[in-house]
Amino acid sequence: MLSLVNTLQLAANLMLSIEWIDGPGLIEMLCRFTLNILMVWVVVHFFYYPKSKRHDYYFTFLLFAVSIFMLIYLMDGSKMKIGAALGLFAVFGIIRYRTESVPIREMTYLFFLVALSVVNGMAQKLSLAELGTANLIFVVAVALAESNLLARHISCKYVKYDNIALITPDKREEMIADLEKRLGVTVINVEIGSVDFLKDSALIKVFYKGPAANNSTDTITRMPKEYS
């Protein structure tokens, strides 16, 4: 009976010693979370989505950003945070090579947004002004990368070409003209891959002038498993 009373008293003392609401800490967390999710949304909604139109990755990026930020922010100890961040990058690298291939552009955005969320979650000693400047640098970097200021955007796609009589070097101009007529684009360059003489077809990579969009389906050479 005495032991039970001591246990209850100990539990009561423990409950009383817990700080249930840390007002300044809660406000700081909400401010940093709002800044992080706002910056992530700006990057995804205004830079990634208009070109790819991939709603599944839109959903993935936002949830990744929320998860990474909360995971990093609520951990105690900077060494643990850095280790967790490096571990997450390693896991993503394994996922990239062990599962169904993810387009390079989508993987780049995933790493970019993870890095952004890690910075926002770890920089608790920075003022909101400093953190806002860091986030602005992130946004400016992705805006420049997506613009035509640094490099001209050239779209490309794989084509299974049936007129293999035109794949020889001396008929290159004829092949380009045929591709422009059939694809309705201005072809800049053509790379010839594997040739199947039994089926009279060749796999070629066509580089053409197009919008700044980078359609992930352009790099697909066969029907995905979910549609086959």
Side-chain angles (χ1 to χ4, degrees):
M1 186 65 179
L2 184 60
S3 177
L4 179 59
V5 172
N6 292 336
T7 301
L8 293 176
Q9 186 177 4
L10 180 61
N13 293 335
L14 181 61
M15 295 290 287
L16 292 175
S17 65
I18 295 177
E19 186 177 2
W20 290 99
I21 298 178
D22 180 9
L26 178 61
I27 294 175
E28 181 184 5
M29 185 187 74
L30 291 177
C31 289
R32 293 179 184 274
F33 174 78
T34 302
L35 176 63
N36 180 68
I37 199 64
L38 178 62
M39 291 297 101
V40 169
W41 178 78
V42 167
V43 170
V44 174
H45 189 78
F46 292 102
F47 297 107
Y48 170 76
Y49 188 70
K51 298 181 179 181
S52 65
K53 302 299 182 182
R54 295 291 301 270
H55 185 268
D56 51 347
Y57 282 106
Y58 191 113
F59 167 83
T60 300
F61 291 154
L62 291 180
L63 287 191
F64 255 105
V66 172
S67 303
I68 295 299
F69 175 85
M70 298 305 295
L71 180 65
I72 297 299
Y73 188 89
L74 296 177
M75 283 183 174
D76 293 326
S78 60
K79 292 183 179 180
M80 186 176 182
K81 294 178 183 179
I82 295 174
L86 294 177
L88 288 170
F89 278 106
V91 169
F92 295 148
I94 294 173
I95 291 175
R96 172 68 179 87
Y97 292 106
R98 293 296 298 273
T99 61
E100 191 71 21
S101 180
V102 177
I104 295 177
R105 186 168 183 268
E106 276 68 19
M107 282 300 301
T108 302
Y109 266 97
L110 179 58
F111 277 92
F112 181 86
L113 294 173
V114 167
L116 178 62
S117 299
V118 169
V119 168
N120 287 330
M122 293 179 62
Q124 297 182 21
K125 294 183 180 180
L126 296 178
S127 66
L128 290 178
E130 293 172 313
L131 197 57
T133 302
N135 279 266
L136 182 61
I137 292 174
F138 272 93
V139 174
V140 170
V142 72
L144 288 175
E146 289 284 9
S147 69
N148 291 315
L149 297 177
L150 300 180
R152 183 179 62 171
H153 285 276
I154 298 177
S155 301
C156 66
K157 66 168 70 254
Y158 287 97
V159 176
K160 290 184 178 180
Y161 193 55
D162 58 348
N163 194 356
I164 62 172
L166 300 180
I167 67 174
T168 56
D170 59 311
K171 295 183 178 180
R172 183 179 183 84
E173 296 302 324
E174 295 181 44
M175 180 177 63
I176 290 178
D178 182 47
L179 288 169
E180 289 182 341
K181 180 180 179 181
R182 298 167 74 174
L183 295 176
V185 297
T186 302
V187 177
I188 299 174
N189 189 26
V190 176
E191 294 180 357
I192 301 174
S194 61
V195 179
D196 190 339
F197 289 106
L198 295 178
K199 297 181 179 180
D200 288 334
S201 64
L203 182 64
I204 62 176
K205 190 173 184 179
V206 181
F207 298 86
Y208 60 95
K209 291 182 180 179
N214 211 349
N215 194 342
S216 60
T217 58
D218 287 342
T219 58
I220 296 177
T221 59
R222 60 183 179 180
M223 190 67 71
K225 294 180 179 180
E226 59 265 28
Y227 298 110
S228 59

